[in-house]
Amino acid sequence: MKIVDAKVIVTCPGRNYVTLKITTEDGLTGVGDATLNGRELAVASYLSEHVCPLLIGRDAHRIEDTWHYLYKGAYWRRGPVTMTAIAAVDIALWDIKGKVAGLPVYQLLGGAARAGVTVYGHASGGDVPEALDDVARFLDAGYRAVRVQAAVPGLDKTYGIRSGSSLTYEPAAGVRPAEDVWDTGAYLDFVPTVMGAVRDRYGFGFQLLHDVHHRLTPIEAGRLGRSLEPYRVFWIEDPTPAEDQAAFRLIRQHTTTPIAVGEVFNSIWDCQQLITERLIDYIRTSVSHTGGITHLRRVFGLAELYGVRTGSHGATDLSPVCLAAALHVDMAVPNFGIQEYMSHLDPAGDVFPHHYSFSDGLMHPGDVPGLGVDIDEDQAAKYPYDPKYLPVNRLRDGTMYDW
Ligand code: EZ4
Ligand code: CO
């Protein structure tokens, strides 16, 4: 079954998405998410200039072979741009295989290992009372897990806080990166009071999560983890910049608070030591930034051997195509942990018609053949690309810091 067309669609229905659409000789189509937030056109051009021409005439069924053809064939291995491009191809080919088989992709991956995918939502607030009220929005909707972020007193802007009446936060903006200011001491003093307030008001009957967003040193992360132990958080996410994998040994020495890492990873090699030394509890790599379903399964398979569970990244800068692919993998892997779900707001839903659903805290990818998500090209054309940057971060003295 030959591939006859591969094209890249860039659209901005609320935020920028890059989608690869592959067509076979018998007219079947598959879609893959190629979005790399703030660097979208690098992946779009990697695909359209260097990958799409190679796909024409290839057998759409040869997913594993195509993966290695693109990975080994590039010579230049790994990196977010390359691995996101390979992921888009891989996801689209799984979509096509499902359509040919007449089965949803999770069936091809081994079938349902659970009734549904437990997801966590994003609550936030400009202060503690606001954050507490926002938690109710998710508990009332049936969520069994909620991530909570609150603005750190004394800082102009804190990561992860929605503004005004918007339902989600949106960090990317403008033709130059916004400049945030960071204060570790203020943060470390504040977070335990937030988590404590959430448990005081709502109790312990749901999972409570928090994203540190790579802002701490290992010993500071140890202190944070220890200070949160009374509130039994499900995890602290990205406590330190994780390219230093050995640093997590130090965090482990100081706290039993579970650790989740991986949204900026793009390969199994980025998390090999973290997994094999059991330095983390959850691996948060995403389908579209980690080489697609084919490579993500390998990461999750390694994690399973070492008792590490999954917790895939699911922010809205990953398109509905990525979310659908993640849900299929989540349904099938034995070591599933939790899935991030920061629901896409309209008009993204018009551009990406989908069959996944949420009910009683669980999501399901749906049972239509393939991924169960598509791109409506007429709708996509209505929303042209709108270049935006993620913020940068500085300490109070102006030193560049991790955002
Ligand atoms: O900042 O995906 O857990 N979610 C996150 C995200 C990331 C964005 C970056 O594009 O950390 O909000
Ligand atoms: Co995160």
Side-chain angles (χ1 to χ4, degrees), residues 67-80:
W67 197 93
H68 289 276
Y69 184 74
L70 296 174
Y71 182 80
K72 294 175 176 150
Y75 184 66
W76 313 106
R77 295 186 182 206
R78 309 198 265 161

Side-chain angles (χ1 to χ4, degrees), residues 204-227:
F204 286 80
F206 64 100
Q207 304 293 0
L208 176 59
L209 298 79
H210 179 71
D211 191 349
V212 184
H213 222 264
H214 332 273
R215 307 283 169 94
L216 301 177
T217 66
I219 200 69
E220 289 163 353
R223 174 182 151 194
L224 177 69
R226 185 176 287 188
S227 69

Side-chain angles (χ1 to χ4, degrees), residues 120 147 159 169 211-214 237-238 263 284 313 340:
Y120 68 91
R147 179 187 107 157
Y159 159 79
Y169 65 91
D211 191 349
V212 184
H213 222 264
H214 332 273
E237 173 180 332
D238 292 333
E263 68 184 46
R284 293 188 67 261
H313 188 207
E340 184 177 29

Side-chain angles (χ1 to χ4, degrees), residues 329-357:
V329 175
D330 294 338
M331 281 297 284
V333 293
N335 53 331
F336 172 73
I338 204 163
Q339 169 71 48
E340 184 177 29
Y341 177 49
M342 189 184 161
S343 48
H344 300 93
L345 304 177
D346 289 335
D350 304 333
V351 173
F352 297 98
H354 53 264
H355 288 85
Y356 53 75
S357 58

